[in-house]
Amino acid sequence: IKAINENYIPNKVVILKPLKNSLEIESVSEFIKSHAQINGKATAYVCRNYACSLPTNDIKTMLKIIEED
């Protein structure tokens, strides 16, 4: 979240799925039910046009994927 907030990335939506009590966010964004952490670490899924990239734990990789167009 900090890395995303430190960069100007217009027209982006960030959804945070907490480890516990995620039922509320899953009821609004059902597609994130299948999104899980990798190796117990915060994991980013960058999605466009109803398709998500492979998940990553690496901040630089996440930002690179976000900036691609």
mmCIF file of all heavy atoms in Angstrom, residues 30-62:
data_model
loop_
_atom_site.group_PDB
_atom_site.id
_atom_site.type_symbol
_atom_site.label_atom_id
_atom_site.label_comp_id
_atom_site.label_asym_id
_atom_site.label_seq_id
_atom_site.Cartn_x
_atom_site.Cartn_y
_atom_site.Cartn_z
ATOM 1 N N GLU A 30 -16.419 -10.194 -5.078
ATOM 2 C CA GLU A 30 -16.392 -11.656 -4.996
ATOM 3 C C GLU A 30 -15.164 -12.279 -5.656
ATOM 4 O O GLU A 30 -14.706 -13.333 -5.248
ATOM 5 C CB GLU A 30 -17.665 -12.239 -5.599
ATOM 6 C CG GLU A 30 -18.881 -11.997 -4.738
ATOM 7 C CD GLU A 30 -20.092 -12.770 -5.212
ATOM 8 O OE1 GLU A 30 -19.925 -13.798 -5.871
ATOM 9 O OE2 GLU A 30 -21.202 -12.329 -4.893
ATOM 10 N N PHE A 31 -14.634 -11.625 -6.683
ATOM 11 C CA PHE A 31 -13.509 -12.223 -7.409
ATOM 12 C C PHE A 31 -12.263 -12.385 -6.550
ATOM 13 O O PHE A 31 -11.387 -13.179 -6.876
ATOM 14 C CB PHE A 31 -13.176 -11.416 -8.669
ATOM 15 C CG PHE A 31 -12.566 -10.071 -8.397
ATOM 16 C CD1 PHE A 31 -11.189 -9.918 -8.372
ATOM 17 C CD2 PHE A 31 -13.358 -8.963 -8.173
ATOM 18 C CE1 PHE A 31 -10.609 -8.683 -8.131
ATOM 19 C CE2 PHE A 31 -12.791 -7.717 -7.937
ATOM 20 C CZ PHE A 31 -11.420 -7.582 -7.908
ATOM 21 N N ILE A 32 -12.176 -11.668 -5.437
ATOM 22 C CA ILE A 32 -10.963 -11.791 -4.616
ATOM 23 C C ILE A 32 -11.000 -12.996 -3.677
ATOM 24 O O ILE A 32 -10.020 -13.269 -3.001
ATOM 25 C CB ILE A 32 -10.646 -10.506 -3.834
ATOM 26 C CG1 ILE A 32 -11.696 -10.239 -2.762
ATOM 27 C CG2 ILE A 32 -10.469 -9.334 -4.746
ATOM 28 C CD1 ILE A 32 -11.262 -9.173 -1.783
ATOM 29 N N LYS A 33 -12.091 -13.731 -3.655
ATOM 30 C CA LYS A 33 -12.158 -14.917 -2.802
ATOM 31 C C LYS A 33 -11.027 -15.891 -3.117
ATOM 32 O O LYS A 33 -10.478 -16.529 -2.230
ATOM 33 C CB LYS A 33 -13.502 -15.623 -2.967
ATOM 34 C CG LYS A 33 -14.655 -14.906 -2.317
ATOM 35 C CD LYS A 33 -15.939 -15.675 -2.503
ATOM 36 C CE LYS A 33 -17.096 -14.931 -1.882
ATOM 37 N NZ LYS A 33 -18.373 -15.636 -2.064
ATOM 38 N N SER A 34 -10.683 -16.005 -4.381
ATOM 39 C CA SER A 34 -9.653 -16.965 -4.783
ATOM 40 C C SER A 34 -8.232 -16.395 -4.707
ATOM 41 O O SER A 34 -7.273 -17.103 -4.950
ATOM 42 C CB SER A 34 -9.922 -17.442 -6.209
ATOM 43 O OG SER A 34 -9.849 -16.352 -7.105
ATOM 44 N N HIS A 35 -8.102 -15.123 -4.374
ATOM 45 C CA HIS A 35 -6.782 -14.496 -4.285
ATOM 46 C C HIS A 35 -6.198 -14.754 -2.897
ATOM 47 O O HIS A 35 -6.793 -14.380 -1.892
ATOM 48 C CB HIS A 35 -6.882 -12.996 -4.547
ATOM 49 C CG HIS A 35 -7.238 -12.671 -5.955
ATOM 50 N ND1 HIS A 35 -8.419 -13.048 -6.532
ATOM 51 C CD2 HIS A 35 -6.553 -12.017 -6.911
ATOM 52 C CE1 HIS A 35 -8.462 -12.624 -7.780
ATOM 53 N NE2 HIS A 35 -7.334 -11.998 -8.042
ATOM 54 N N ALA A 36 -5.057 -15.386 -2.858
ATOM 55 C CA ALA A 36 -4.440 -15.763 -1.584
ATOM 56 C C ALA A 36 -3.019 -15.220 -1.494
ATOM 57 O O ALA A 36 -2.437 -14.789 -2.488
ATOM 58 C CB ALA A 36 -4.413 -17.282 -1.462
ATOM 59 N N GLN A 37 -2.478 -15.264 -0.295
ATOM 60 C CA GLN A 37 -1.097 -14.857 -0.081
ATOM 61 C C GLN A 37 -0.151 -15.914 -0.617
ATOM 62 O O GLN A 37 -0.494 -17.090 -0.695
ATOM 63 C CB GLN A 37 -0.815 -14.687 1.403
ATOM 64 C CG GLN A 37 -1.466 -13.514 2.042
ATOM 65 C CD GLN A 37 -1.009 -13.400 3.489
ATOM 66 O OE1 GLN A 37 -0.621 -14.367 4.129
ATOM 67 N NE2 GLN A 37 -1.073 -12.193 4.013
ATOM 68 N N ILE A 38 1.050 -15.463 -0.941
ATOM 69 C CA ILE A 38 2.123 -16.374 -1.324
ATOM 70 C C ILE A 38 3.114 -16.409 -0.167
ATOM 71 O O ILE A 38 3.589 -15.361 0.276
ATOM 72 C CB ILE A 38 2.838 -15.894 -2.607
ATOM 73 C CG1 ILE A 38 1.862 -15.848 -3.771
ATOM 74 C CG2 ILE A 38 4.020 -16.785 -2.923
ATOM 75 C CD1 ILE A 38 2.454 -15.214 -5.020
ATOM 76 N N ASN A 39 3.393 -17.598 0.316
ATOM 77 C CA ASN A 39 4.363 -17.793 1.407
ATOM 78 C C ASN A 39 4.055 -16.937 2.636
ATOM 79 O O ASN A 39 4.965 -16.454 3.298
ATOM 80 C CB ASN A 39 5.785 -17.521 0.919
ATOM 81 C CG ASN A 39 6.195 -18.461 -0.179
ATOM 82 O OD1 ASN A 39 5.810 -19.624 -0.200
ATOM 83 N ND2 ASN A 39 6.960 -17.970 -1.131
ATOM 84 N N GLY A 40 2.771 -16.689 2.907
ATOM 85 C CA GLY A 40 2.381 -15.931 4.093
ATOM 86 C C GLY A 40 2.713 -14.460 4.048
ATOM 87 O O GLY A 40 2.719 -13.795 5.073
ATOM 88 N N LYS A 41 3.015 -13.926 2.857
ATOM 89 C CA LYS A 41 3.390 -12.512 2.715
ATOM 90 C C LYS A 41 2.304 -11.759 1.956
ATOM 91 O O LYS A 41 1.537 -12.340 1.196
ATOM 92 C CB LYS A 41 4.699 -12.389 1.947
ATOM 93 C CG LYS A 41 5.880 -13.002 2.641
ATOM 94 C CD LYS A 41 7.124 -12.828 1.804
ATOM 95 C CE LYS A 41 8.326 -13.461 2.476
ATOM 96 N NZ LYS A 41 9.536 -13.292 1.671
ATOM 97 N N ALA A 42 2.282 -10.440 2.153
ATOM 98 C CA ALA A 42 1.366 -9.594 1.390
ATOM 99 C C ALA A 42 1.611 -9.850 -0.092
ATOM 100 O O ALA A 42 2.753 -9.928 -0.540
ATOM 101 C CB ALA A 42 1.598 -8.130 1.714
ATOM 102 N N THR A 43 0.532 -10.008 -0.839
ATOM 103 C CA THR A 43 0.629 -10.400 -2.240
ATOM 104 C C THR A 43 -0.215 -9.472 -3.101
ATOM 105 O O THR A 43 -1.355 -9.185 -2.760
ATOM 106 C CB THR A 43 0.146 -11.860 -2.409
ATOM 107 O OG1 THR A 43 0.935 -12.691 -1.548
ATOM 108 C CG2 THR A 43 0.278 -12.332 -3.839
ATOM 109 N N ALA A 44 0.363 -9.019 -4.206
ATOM 110 C CA ALA A 44 -0.349 -8.122 -5.114
ATOM 111 C C ALA A 44 -0.819 -8.875 -6.346
ATOM 112 O O ALA A 44 -0.080 -9.657 -6.929
ATOM 113 C CB ALA A 44 0.574 -6.982 -5.541
ATOM 114 N N TYR A 45 -2.065 -8.619 -6.701
ATOM 115 C CA TYR A 45 -2.649 -9.105 -7.948
ATOM 116 C C TYR A 45 -3.030 -7.858 -8.727
ATOM 117 O O TYR A 45 -3.858 -7.074 -8.267
ATOM 118 C CB TYR A 45 -3.913 -9.923 -7.686
ATOM 119 C CG TYR A 45 -3.691 -11.241 -7.001
ATOM 120 C CD1 TYR A 45 -3.495 -11.325 -5.632
ATOM 121 C CD2 TYR A 45 -3.704 -12.415 -7.733
ATOM 122 C CE1 TYR A 45 -3.313 -12.539 -5.005
ATOM 123 C CE2 TYR A 45 -3.525 -13.645 -7.123
ATOM 124 C CZ TYR A 45 -3.328 -13.706 -5.758
ATOM 125 O OH TYR A 45 -3.148 -14.915 -5.136
ATOM 126 N N VAL A 46 -2.417 -7.640 -9.877
ATOM 127 C CA VAL A 46 -2.734 -6.476 -10.703
ATOM 128 C C VAL A 46 -3.689 -6.950 -11.796
ATOM 129 O O VAL A 46 -3.348 -7.830 -12.579
ATOM 130 C CB VAL A 46 -1.461 -5.849 -11.311
ATOM 131 C CG1 VAL A 46 -1.814 -4.637 -12.157
ATOM 132 C CG2 VAL A 46 -0.483 -5.460 -10.198
ATOM 133 N N CYS A 47 -4.877 -6.364 -11.806
ATOM 134 C CA CYS A 47 -5.918 -6.825 -12.728
ATOM 135 C C CYS A 47 -6.323 -5.713 -13.696
ATOM 136 O O CYS A 47 -6.391 -4.549 -13.319
ATOM 137 C CB CYS A 47 -7.138 -7.278 -11.940
ATOM 138 S SG CYS A 47 -6.764 -8.509 -10.661
ATOM 139 N N ARG A 48 -6.587 -6.131 -14.942
ATOM 140 C CA ARG A 48 -7.077 -5.234 -15.995
ATOM 141 C C ARG A 48 -8.085 -5.999 -16.833
ATOM 142 O O ARG A 48 -7.851 -7.161 -17.175
ATOM 143 C CB ARG A 48 -5.946 -4.809 -16.927
ATOM 144 C CG ARG A 48 -5.032 -3.777 -16.401
ATOM 145 C CD ARG A 48 -4.062 -3.343 -17.531
ATOM 146 N NE ARG A 48 -2.983 -2.582 -16.969
ATOM 147 C CZ ARG A 48 -1.860 -3.089 -16.488
ATOM 148 N NH1 ARG A 48 -1.653 -4.374 -16.525
ATOM 149 N NH2 ARG A 48 -0.935 -2.309 -15.985
ATOM 150 N N ASN A 49 -9.150 -5.325 -17.202
ATOM 151 C CA ASN A 49 -10.126 -5.921 -18.113
ATOM 152 C C ASN A 49 -10.510 -7.342 -17.708
ATOM 153 O O ASN A 49 -10.485 -8.260 -18.517
ATOM 154 C CB ASN A 49 -9.604 -5.892 -19.550
ATOM 155 C CG ASN A 49 -9.324 -4.484 -20.023
ATOM 156 O OD1 ASN A 49 -10.086 -3.564 -19.741
ATOM 157 N ND2 ASN A 49 -8.219 -4.297 -20.714
ATOM 158 N N TYR A 50 -10.809 -7.521 -16.448
ATOM 159 C CA TYR A 50 -11.293 -8.800 -15.912
ATOM 160 C C TYR A 50 -10.254 -9.918 -15.919
ATOM 161 O O TYR A 50 -10.604 -11.093 -15.809
ATOM 162 C CB TYR A 50 -12.553 -9.255 -16.645
ATOM 163 C CG TYR A 50 -13.631 -8.206 -16.659
ATOM 164 C CD1 TYR A 50 -13.851 -7.434 -17.782
ATOM 165 C CD2 TYR A 50 -14.395 -7.970 -15.523
ATOM 166 C CE1 TYR A 50 -14.830 -6.447 -17.787
ATOM 167 C CE2 TYR A 50 -15.371 -6.985 -15.522
ATOM 168 C CZ TYR A 50 -15.590 -6.238 -16.659
ATOM 169 O OH TYR A 50 -16.553 -5.262 -16.649
ATOM 170 N N ALA A 51 -8.977 -9.594 -16.047
ATOM 171 C CA ALA A 51 -7.910 -10.598 -15.997
ATOM 172 C C ALA A 51 -6.795 -10.086 -15.083
ATOM 173 O O ALA A 51 -6.427 -8.919 -15.150
ATOM 174 C CB ALA A 51 -7.362 -10.871 -17.384
ATOM 175 N N CYS A 52 -6.277 -10.970 -14.252
ATOM 176 C CA CYS A 52 -5.227 -10.574 -13.307
ATOM 177 C C CYS A 52 -3.879 -11.162 -13.716
ATOM 178 O O CYS A 52 -3.807 -12.276 -14.236
ATOM 179 C CB CYS A 52 -5.570 -11.059 -11.901
ATOM 180 S SG CYS A 52 -7.075 -10.316 -11.238
ATOM 181 N N SER A 53 -2.832 -10.393 -13.434
ATOM 182 C CA SER A 53 -1.473 -10.886 -13.660
ATOM 183 C C SER A 53 -1.173 -11.958 -12.616
ATOM 184 O O SER A 53 -1.928 -12.147 -11.662
ATOM 185 C CB SER A 53 -0.476 -9.741 -13.520
ATOM 186 O OG SER A 53 -0.464 -9.288 -12.172
ATOM 187 N N LEU A 54 -0.069 -12.626 -12.798
ATOM 188 C CA LEU A 54 0.368 -13.575 -11.776
ATOM 189 C C LEU A 54 0.643 -12.799 -10.493
ATOM 190 O O LEU A 54 1.134 -11.671 -10.537
ATOM 191 C CB LEU A 54 1.619 -14.314 -12.228
ATOM 192 C CG LEU A 54 1.444 -15.254 -13.415
ATOM 193 C CD1 LEU A 54 2.785 -15.834 -13.839
ATOM 194 C CD2 LEU A 54 0.472 -16.371 -13.069
ATOM 195 N N PRO A 55 0.351 -13.370 -9.351
ATOM 196 C CA PRO A 55 0.584 -12.669 -8.092
ATOM 197 C C PRO A 55 2.071 -12.493 -7.828
ATOM 198 O O PRO A 55 2.896 -13.277 -8.297
ATOM 199 C CB PRO A 55 -0.056 -13.586 -7.057
ATOM 200 C CG PRO A 55 -0.084 -14.927 -7.690
ATOM 201 C CD PRO A 55 -0.219 -14.694 -9.167
ATOM 202 N N THR A 56 2.391 -11.444 -7.077
ATOM 203 C CA THR A 56 3.784 -11.189 -6.734
ATOM 204 C C THR A 56 3.895 -10.645 -5.320
ATOM 205 O O THR A 56 2.999 -9.959 -4.840
ATOM 206 C CB THR A 56 4.451 -10.221 -7.731
ATOM 207 O OG1 THR A 56 5.829 -10.073 -7.378
ATOM 208 C CG2 THR A 56 3.789 -8.860 -7.748
ATOM 209 N N ASN A 57 5.023 -10.940 -4.679
ATOM 210 C CA ASN A 57 5.361 -10.380 -3.370
ATOM 211 C C ASN A 57 6.386 -9.263 -3.514
ATOM 212 O O ASN A 57 6.718 -8.608 -2.538
ATOM 213 C CB ASN A 57 5.992 -11.429 -2.451
ATOM 214 C CG ASN A 57 5.059 -12.553 -2.104
ATOM 215 O OD1 ASN A 57 5.267 -13.655 -2.562
ATOM 216 N ND2 ASN A 57 4.049 -12.291 -1.313
ATOM 217 N N ASP A 58 6.895 -9.060 -4.708
ATOM 218 C CA ASP A 58 7.964 -8.096 -4.940
ATOM 219 C C ASP A 58 7.383 -6.736 -5.306
ATOM 220 O O ASP A 58 6.647 -6.613 -6.290
ATOM 221 C CB ASP A 58 8.878 -8.606 -6.058
ATOM 222 C CG ASP A 58 10.048 -7.688 -6.303
ATOM 223 O OD1 ASP A 58 10.951 -7.639 -5.440
ATOM 224 O OD2 ASP A 58 10.046 -7.005 -7.346
ATOM 225 N N ILE A 59 7.717 -5.707 -4.541
ATOM 226 C CA ILE A 59 7.166 -4.368 -4.765
ATOM 227 C C ILE A 59 7.566 -3.826 -6.132
ATOM 228 O O ILE A 59 6.727 -3.268 -6.852
ATOM 229 C CB ILE A 59 7.607 -3.401 -3.645
ATOM 230 C CG1 ILE A 59 6.952 -3.837 -2.326
ATOM 231 C CG2 ILE A 59 7.232 -1.970 -3.979
ATOM 232 C CD1 ILE A 59 7.459 -3.098 -1.114
ATOM 233 N N LYS A 60 8.828 -3.979 -6.519
ATOM 234 C CA LYS A 60 9.271 -3.465 -7.825
ATOM 235 C C LYS A 60 8.528 -4.151 -8.969
ATOM 236 O O LYS A 60 8.135 -3.506 -9.939
ATOM 237 C CB LYS A 60 10.778 -3.638 -7.985
ATOM 238 C CG LYS A 60 11.577 -2.708 -7.101
ATOM 239 C CD LYS A 60 13.062 -2.906 -7.294
ATOM 240 C CE LYS A 60 13.833 -2.005 -6.339
ATOM 241 N NZ LYS A 60 15.266 -2.166 -6.463
ATOM 242 N N THR A 61 8.310 -5.446 -8.853
ATOM 243 C CA THR A 61 7.572 -6.177 -9.882
ATOM 244 C C THR A 61 6.135 -5.683 -9.940
ATOM 245 O O THR A 61 5.592 -5.455 -11.019
ATOM 246 C CB THR A 61 7.607 -7.695 -9.599
ATOM 247 O OG1 THR A 61 8.966 -8.132 -9.591
ATOM 248 C CG2 THR A 61 6.809 -8.464 -10.631
ATOM 249 N N MET A 62 5.520 -5.486 -8.789
ATOM 250 C CA MET A 62 4.155 -4.989 -8.735
ATOM 251 C C MET A 62 4.044 -3.633 -9.428
ATOM 252 O O MET A 62 3.168 -3.419 -10.261
ATOM 253 C CB MET A 62 3.673 -4.864 -7.290
ATOM 254 C CG MET A 62 2.296 -4.218 -7.161
ATOM 255 S SD MET A 62 1.917 -3.652 -5.482
ATOM 256 C CE MET A 62 3.126 -2.360 -5.230
#
